[in-house]
Every structure is written in structure tokens, then in C-alpha cells.
Amino acid sequence: ETTCLLRGAPPPPPPPPPPMSGDADYEAEAAAASAEEAKRRRQMSARTMPDIRALRLAQQHVLQGIWQARHFDGLLEDGWSRNAVSALLQCTQQLVEQQEDIAATARSAEEAQRRQQRLQMQNLVCLCNAVCPTEAAEWVQCIKRSTKGDGAETCEGYRRRLELCTQRSTSRLLHAVMSPPDRKGDQLML
């Protein structure tokens, strides 16, 4: 009998032979492992997604018609705001069109839900690109690298920079939307 060099313990037992196909226990273990892997991916995804609630709220205001023509007047003077809102409007238009397509073509509730989740991710990236293209590109590249590799790379720093940028950018947009063009910095017009 051999012993491990560390502390004189016996070596670990050899791994069990692979199960025969059709083995019910093996299939149950494989299904459980697959479910665990899916859960791990959802948790990882939740940790890596930037929090862009303020930007999504701005998009909702556009969708619901809360922002009217007088609100957009303040954006005409500022080139950055004008470009950001133009991109925000494009993201919003794409979101609406794709939601309508999903509603019309999904064959099942599961398919509709899966496509909606994918659409929400695409919308998140579109919104981030609208106001923070550099930070969004860096975050997306980090996510791609971490999913292709061993997953050891953390994108926390990129995610945090993207969140801060979207918060600042949304604040800048809201200031431009709410301030009358002739009296920027004075009293807000609601």
C-alpha cells in the first residue's frame, strides 16, 4: 500500500469508471450539474450587468411620451446632448420594433421570454453606447474575454466605470431637457 508524501496519508481513491449510457443516476447527476451551471451563469450575469436604472427611466419617459417637444428644445444647443438623445431615440425605436416582432412571431411563452431577455441585453448595450461609447466598448470586450476564457477575469472595474458614466450622462441629459435654452442654470422648467 502506498502513502501520500504529505502527512503519510494514503492516496485518494481512483475516480469511478464512467457510467454506462442510459444509467438513470448518471443522467440525474448530469441534469443537476447542468442546472447548477445555469444558476452559476445567471448569478455571474447579475454581478456583471451594469445598473443603468436612470438611463432606462429616461428611455421609459420617451416611450410614454413624458418628454415632449419643449423638453427637447434644451438639447439643440448642446451637440453632445443632441447626439446622445438621437442615439437614445434609435435604441428606443429598435426596442419597440423588436418587442412587436417578438409578440407577433414567438411560438411559445418560453421562446418569447428567452427572446425578451436577449432583447433587454441588446437594449442595455445600445443605451450604454448611446451615452458612454468608450466605457461600454471596454465593458463589452471584458465580458467577451471573460466568457471565452476560464472566467477568471473580473469586469467589476469596467462595469463600475460604465455605471458612473451612465449616471453622469443621464444627469447631463436631464439637466439639458429640464433647463430652458435661454436661461440655462436658472430655475428649472417642468
Side-chain angles (χ1 to χ4, degrees):
E1 185 174 309
T2 59
T3 58
C4 277
L5 295 176
L6 298 176
R7 298 186 197 140
M20 301 290 216
S21 80
D23 185 359
D25 291 337
Y26 174 73
E27 290 175 7
E29 287 178 20
S34 178
E36 283 296 317
E37 177 65 17
K39 181 179 177 183
R40 186 189 66 76
R41 285 185 183 180
R42 281 192 305 273
Q43 289 171 342
M44 186 176 90
S45 175
R47 287 192 310 264
T48 58
M49 294 296 106
D51 180 1
I52 62 165
R53 284 180 279 186
L55 191 54
R56 286 187 191 262
L57 183 60
Q59 184 181 45
Q60 284 299 315
H61 286 182
V62 170
L63 279 170
Q64 295 169 355
I66 293 172
W67 285 9
Q68 299 171 2
R70 69 181 173 91
H71 294 112
F72 290 104
D73 290 342
L75 301 171
L76 298 177
E77 292 180 359
D78 180 25
W80 179 88
S81 295
R82 184 175 45 249
N83 293 336
V85 167
S86 175
L88 175 72
L89 292 172
Q90 288 175 354
C91 293
T92 304
Q93 181 179 357
Q94 289 173 3
L95 177 68
V96 169
E97 289 171 358
Q98 291 178 4
Q99 284 177 332
E100 290 171 353
D101 179 58
I102 290 171
T105 61
R107 295 184 204 122
S108 67
E110 294 83 19
E111 178 188 356
Q113 182 180 13
R114 182 180 44 78
R115 289 175 60 190
Q116 269 299 341
Q117 289 172 341
R118 187 172 189 204
L119 176 58
Q120 290 306 319
M121 176 57 130
Q122 290 171 341
N123 185 54
L124 179 140
V125 172
C126 186
L127 290 173
C128 290
N129 277 325
V131 296
C132 300
T134 302
E135 291 82 355
E138 290 171 349
W139 174 73
V140 167
Q141 288 304 315
C142 181
I143 295 295
K144 285 180 180 179
R145 285 190 309 269
S146 71
T147 56
K148 287 182 181 176
D150 61 2
E153 182 175 5
T154 177
C155 298
E156 179 70 20
Y158 293 106
R159 180 189 60 81
R160 187 69 187 131
R161 280 192 294 280
L162 180 56
E163 286 176 345
L164 292 172
C165 180
T166 59
Q167 290 167 3
R168 284 189 307 268
S169 298
T170 304
S171 177
R172 184 175 173 183
L173 280 175
L174 290 174
H175 179 76
V177 164
M178 300 307 289
S179 296
D182 58 337
R183 294 187 333 216
K184 283 207 185 288
D186 290 352
Q187 188 175 358
L188 292 178
M189 180 175 73
L190 301 175

